[in-house]
Amino acid sequence: MFGLNAKDTSLLLIVAVLTLLAPFILNPFPEGSDLAQFNAGYPDLMQRFVIFGIFAIGFNILFGLTGYLSFGHAAFLGVGSYAAIWMMKLLSLNIIPAIIMSVIFAGLFALAVGFISLRRSGIYFSILTLAFAQMSYALAYSVLTPITGGETGLQIKPTDRPLLSNLADGEIGRANLFGLDMRASYEMEVGGWLFTFNSGYYIAAVVMLLAFYMSIRIFRSPFGMMLRAVKSNQQRMNFTGLNSKPYTLAAFVISGMYAGLAGGLMVAMDTQVGPERMFWTASGEVVLMAILGGVGTLIGPVLGAGLIKYMENILSKINDAILHQWFAFLPDGLENALVYLIHPFIGKGWHLTLGIVFMLVVIFLPGGLVEGGQRIARIFRRKKRTDSAADAAAKTPAE
Amino acid sequence: MDAIILQFLNGLDKGSAYALIALGLTLIFGTLGVVNFAHGALFMIGAFCAVTLQRLLSLSHQIVDETQKDFLGNPLKVDVPYVHDWFGPAAGQTIIEWSVPLAILFAIPVMALVGVIMERGLIKHFYKRPHADQILVTFGLAIVLQEIIKAFYGANPIPTPAPPAFTGSFDFGAFIGLDPNTIIYPYWRLIYFAFAMSVIAAVFAFLQFTTFGMVVRAGMADRETVGMLGINIDKRFTVMFAIAACVAGLAGVMYTPINSPNYHMGMDFLVLSFVVVVVGGMGSLPGAVLAGFLLGVLESFASLGVVIDLIPGINQIIIYLVAIVILLTRPRGLMGRKGVMEE
């Protein structure tokens, strides 16, 4: 189906079902229960899951396939965001032109950066991309203030009169898709559960599914094969008379366009941009996402993006009072000791947990969560096989 | 003229910090072949050694002073640091005020220990893995270290003043025969520069003039052959890692009066230090030092009013711009050797 083989089709369908049913799946706990804080099914967070999923999928096309580690990918996200917000301020509050513009601008910027950076490889490439991203950040922060809004960034203001949107005087424009407000939600109550279906989330989710489908096609195409050849041995590839530069550059631009798409969607959801979106820690975050999930795999980056955003939003909400509540059944001394021990890892300290998880993954699971899943699956499979082998062995002597 | 000299001097102290961190990075890269993204964290830990020592020295107990009254007329409770009891009030106060220079002595064993633990505990297992893995695991380690510091010391910068003897400024203009009060330069920054130079000189002398250093240099050139000669090169490289950690830590200790330490100072310096290393040439020690000072001075010149008027925003991006130009025109950096990480 869709030009994919059976395995990929089923993967795509599973992802599609999961994303479309996410408001149910991410809200497993009834409203008002103690565990309700682990619910991730609210629109803001779900939007972030899919948008950062797109960002990570794009990063994975570059890093996973070609092995070029870019440390400046957030710059493309930022450029896309700025392009999108300007389209909304000037042309139309409809998100479609904004997103198209963000992809185009990010692509052009990626073309320029990639053309220069790809002249080097290895750590030099990482430093070059980092340098470009930091330059964009510094410029957006200071000199380009008329375009970027400097430190405060850009928002849609009551004074903005986009050409194609007829707003009443003083009405603040809202991002929409042919009149469908991005913030419109339908809430459904079933028993104690509250499920929110947000139009912005579903639009972002559909875009992510398209992006995911595209990335499967790229992975399975001759072009993807060529990129893998670059990763495994670029020198040998050059010896065979192939110029690898157009392929790596194309991968770089595609992945920059994915970042721009994510940036455009981000603006479509919250209609604001700030330069901190381009800071190198943001670039580092997408690296973390891809590695945590599993670099070079199809589904890994999406999982990694989901995991990090979940930790960022849920772990950081837990505080000491909640911990005390959980461990209330323990004797007081033990309870306090446990809370004291766990305290640095939660709330504002969630980065510590992230860092430790990340290190453990890099050390023990270089293939990320996907490899972890495969290993677990293999253990079960092996057990079955040894069982049948043992059966066979038990039978033979009996003859 | 005086503006130029002033900017040059201003560039030196930042350049010293860049040079020291880049020197440590290059030492680690040249000996162990590891790209250490946690080096900025070592710089930060060094700075927090100074904070820790300052706090330890200021540990105090409360006594009731009958001679002083608070506004209600009750006897005033005053905190008396223990060092005041041990060494007398005057000497004790001096010790507290001199906590930053004293922290050098405190930081050396701490940083050496941290370095050895890092190398033996984690980085040892990554020699055979690709550079990308080394970058990633040390990046993770940097996050962990900085979050640990944040958990203990909070997120706000902690002021750590220099000893009062060095708090003033030096009239450099009068010293070199220009009009007085044209070039005013804080003493501590001069001291930082002198300190950086002596640390750099010590590291180079150690590598150049001792047998240990000779073996290490031989190991940097050809690790396998040195190993085959029956020398335990791994042990020596571990020591070099500890030395590199000390250099970064000392850079951090002495930097605290210039900028109050906070938990993300390491990351801020790390990104720039990497640029410095790459500009200087991967694996070249003199290159790292030279590029450190060069970029520090360039950055400070770019923030001259005249230059900013000419090219707005140049002070923010000059280092990256130089790095891009150098990487594209001189692929090995300023002083990089042939065959070291060219790809």
Side-chain angles (χ1 to χ4, degrees):
Chain A
M1 204 163 54
F2 311 123
L4 303 176
N5 62 25
K7 209 175 155 197
D8 292 336
T9 313
S10 51
L11 179 66
L12 182 66
L13 287 180
I14 290 172
V15 173
V17 170
L18 286 181
T19 37
L20 295 179
L21 295 182
F24 293 109
I25 298 165
L26 294 174
N27 260 6
F29 307 110
E31 206 64 17
S33 71
D34 280 352
L35 293 169
Q37 58 192 324
F38 288 111
N39 282 343
Y42 52 95
D44 188 42
L45 182 54
M46 287 195 299
Q47 287 167 6
R48 248 178 276 171
F49 281 159
V50 285
I51 292 174
F52 278 93
I54 295 173
F55 191 18
I57 291 172
F59 179 78
N60 188 42
I61 290 178
L62 180 70
F63 183 46
L65 285 180
T66 66
Y68 278 81
L69 175 57
S70 158
F71 246 88
H73 240 57
F76 308 125
L77 184 103
V79 168
S81 294
Y82 282 119
I85 196 118
W86 274 113
M87 283 309 276
M88 285 192 175
K89 276 164 117 53
L90 297 177
L91 185 71
S92 159
L93 285 166
N94 195 326
I95 58 171
I96 294 214
I99 288 176
I100 292 175
M101 261 340 227
S102 65
V103 173
I104 292 175
F105 266 80
L108 289 176
F109 188 53
L111 185 67
V113 172
F115 184 75
I116 300 174
S117 305
L118 283 166
R119 295 172 63 165
R120 307 301 309 277
S121 58
I123 180 156
Y124 296 102
F125 173 80
S126 305
I127 299 277
L128 276 171
T129 46
L130 179 65
F132 275 112
Q134 284 295 89
M135 264 166 61
S136 331
Y137 165 76
L139 290 178
Y141 200 84
S142 59
V143 186
L144 294 178
T145 303
I147 306 174
T148 61
E151 196 182 345
T152 43
L154 293 173
Q155 301 84 24
I156 291 186
K157 297 209 175 82
T159 48
D160 289 327
R161 302 282 93 176
L163 276 178
L164 299 178
S165 307
N166 32 0
L167 293 171
D169 261 349
E171 185 188 352
I172 301 181
R174 285 181 167 199
N176 61 60
L177 179 72
F178 303 114
L180 176 65
D181 192 333
M182 286 300 109
R183 274 178 277 182
S185 294
Y186 167 71
E187 295 192 339
M188 184 169 95
E189 271 195 75
V190 182
W193 284 268
L194 177 71
F195 302 115
T196 318
F197 301 92
N198 174 264
S199 59
Y201 167 72
Y202 275 102
I203 289 166
V206 170
V207 176
M208 192 206 76
L209 288 176
L210 288 176
F212 188 60
Y213 171 70
M214 284 274 294
S215 102
I216 300 182
R217 289 301 295 263
I218 291 175
F219 267 63
R220 301 289 179 245
S221 66
F223 171 69
M225 190 53 90
M226 207 56 106
L227 296 180
R228 284 207 192 87
V230 171
K231 183 179 189 176
S232 59
N233 196 335
Q234 194 168 4
Q235 218 167 15
R236 187 176 291 174
M237 208 181 145
N238 292 340
F239 285 162
T240 57
L242 269 161
N243 182 7
S244 58
K245 180 85 184 279
Y247 294 99
T248 46
L249 186 58
F252 193 84
V253 172
I254 291 172
S255 114
M257 284 163 89
Y258 267 82
L261 177 66
L265 275 173
M266 241 182 242
V267 168
M269 298 306 144
D270 58 6
T271 59
Q272 54 175 359
V273 200
E276 72 284 343
R277 232 172 241 186
M278 307 168 96
F279 196 55
W280 76 273
T281 47
S283 307
E285 198 181 18
V286 72
V287 179
L288 297 189
M289 287 172 182
I291 306 282
L292 268 189
V295 139
T297 59
L298 284 166
I299 189 70
V302 186
L303 289 179
L307 180 69
I308 288 188
K309 286 292 147 189
Y310 184 80
M311 275 169 74
E312 178 181 343
N313 285 276
I314 305 299
L315 217 53
S316 59
K317 253 190 287 176
I318 306 174
N319 56 26
D320 282 3
I322 295 173
L323 282 183
H324 276 292
Q325 206 181 320
W326 285 352
F327 297 122
F329 63 92
L330 291 170
D332 268 359
L334 203 58
E335 176 188 333
N336 289 339
L338 258 179
V339 172
Y340 178 78
L341 277 181
I342 300 177
H343 173 77
F345 298 96
I346 52 158
K348 279 179 188 156
W350 78 274
H351 270 112
L352 180 59
T353 321
L354 174 66
I356 291 174
V357 170
F358 179 69
M359 275 179 72
L360 291 178
V361 165
V362 176
I363 296 171
F364 298 111
L365 273 181
L369 294 178
V370 170
E371 192 191 327
Q374 284 168 349
R375 278 195 198 176
I376 292 171
R378 210 176 305 145
I379 288 171
F380 281 106
R381 223 173 292 149
R382 198 180 299 151
K383 208 176 262 170
K384 248 184 229 161
R385 199 174 305 147
T386 43
D387 282 353
S388 53
D391 286 350
K395 272 175 197 158
T396 3
E399 275 184 34
Chain B
M1 180 63 203
D2 39 311
I4 291 175
I5 295 177
L6 186 62
Q7 289 307 326
F8 183 75
L9 288 174
N10 276 337
L12 283 184
D13 62 301
K14 236 188 180 162
S16 313
Y18 293 155
L20 284 177
I21 301 176
L23 179 70
L25 271 176
T26 311
L27 269 181
I28 293 175
F29 181 78
T31 50
L32 303 169
V34 171
V35 182
N36 182 17
F37 254 61
H39 210 68
L42 292 173
F43 175 75
M44 181 228 10
I45 292 177
F48 276 90
C49 280
V51 174
T52 313
L53 189 73
Q54 190 196 30
R55 294 209 170 156
L56 282 179
L57 290 177
S58 318
L59 275 184
S60 49
H61 59 104
Q62 241 178 12
I63 56 162
V64 179
D65 188 350
E66 295 290 348
T67 60
Q68 286 173 295
K69 305 275 184 199
D70 64 5
F71 63 99
L72 289 174
N74 299 321
L76 191 67
K77 285 179 185 159
V78 280
D79 290 326
V80 178
Y82 287 107
V83 277
H84 282 207
D85 297 349
W86 299 337
F87 301 102
Q93 193 56 35
T94 318
I95 290 179
I96 292 178
E97 281 161 356
W98 281 73
S99 62
V100 171
L102 283 176
I104 294 175
L105 300 177
F106 175 65
I108 289 175
V110 172
M111 294 313 297
L113 189 70
V114 170
V116 170
I117 293 174
M118 236 172 99
E119 202 271 336
R120 287 287 95 182
L122 177 72
I123 294 178
K124 185 179 83 173
H125 307 289
F126 275 78
Y127 293 155
K128 299 249 159 65
R129 306 261 295 253
H131 280 300
D133 276 8
Q134 298 169 353
I135 293 178
L136 294 170
V137 80
T138 47
F139 182 56
L141 181 66
I143 297 176
V144 170
L145 288 176
Q146 99 179 25
E147 289 300 317
I148 290 175
I149 292 289
K150 186 172 133 196
F152 276 102
Y153 293 90
N156 296 326
I158 301 165
T160 348
F166 301 122
T167 46
S169 286
F170 176 58
D171 194 341
F172 197 77
F175 181 71
I176 55 168
L178 292 171
D179 295 330
N181 290 327
T182 46
I183 306 172
I184 303 285
Y185 197 65
Y187 281 119
W188 188 260
R189 297 190 176 213
L190 279 181
I191 289 186
Y192 193 76
F193 174 65
F195 175 76
M197 287 315 277
S198 39
V199 168
I200 291 167
V203 169
F204 275 92
F206 178 71
L207 283 176
Q208 210 65 39
F209 302 126
T210 62
T211 322
F212 189 96
M214 191 184 71
V215 174
V216 168
R217 276 186 297 132
M220 282 165 89
D222 189 343
R223 179 183 190 146
E224 237 167 66
T225 311
V226 176
M228 272 188 249
L229 291 173
I231 294 168
N232 187 351
I233 193 75
D234 286 355
K235 208 181 199 173
R236 288 178 167 78
F237 279 178
T238 307
V239 174
M240 286 319 289
F241 193 99
I243 290 177
C246 283
V247 170
L250 292 182
V253 167
M254 295 297 275
Y255 204 72
T256 48
I258 299 177
N259 251 352
S260 302
N262 55 17
Y263 73 97
H264 53 75
M265 70 189 290
M267 282 293 191
D268 301 346
F269 267 89
L270 178 80
V271 174
L272 288 171
S273 305
F274 256 104
V275 174
V276 167
V277 170
V278 171
V279 168
M282 232 33 200
S284 155
L285 295 174
V289 174
L290 179 76
F293 283 111
L294 204 67
L295 290 181
V297 171
L298 259 181
E299 189 185 17
S300 128
F301 270 113
S303 28
L304 266 176
V306 195
V307 183
I308 292 187
D309 288 344
L310 204 65
I311 320 167
I314 186 75
N315 57 330
Q316 309 265 0
I317 59 169
I318 178 81
I319 290 193
Y320 302 110
L321 214 56
V322 170
I324 289 169
V325 170
I326 292 217
L327 273 184
L328 294 178
T329 52
R330 282 189 64 95
R332 270 178 228 138
L334 288 177
M335 300 174 85
R337 280 172 297 140
K338 197 172 184 230
V340 181
M341 279 282 291
E342 283 192 53
E343 276 310 320

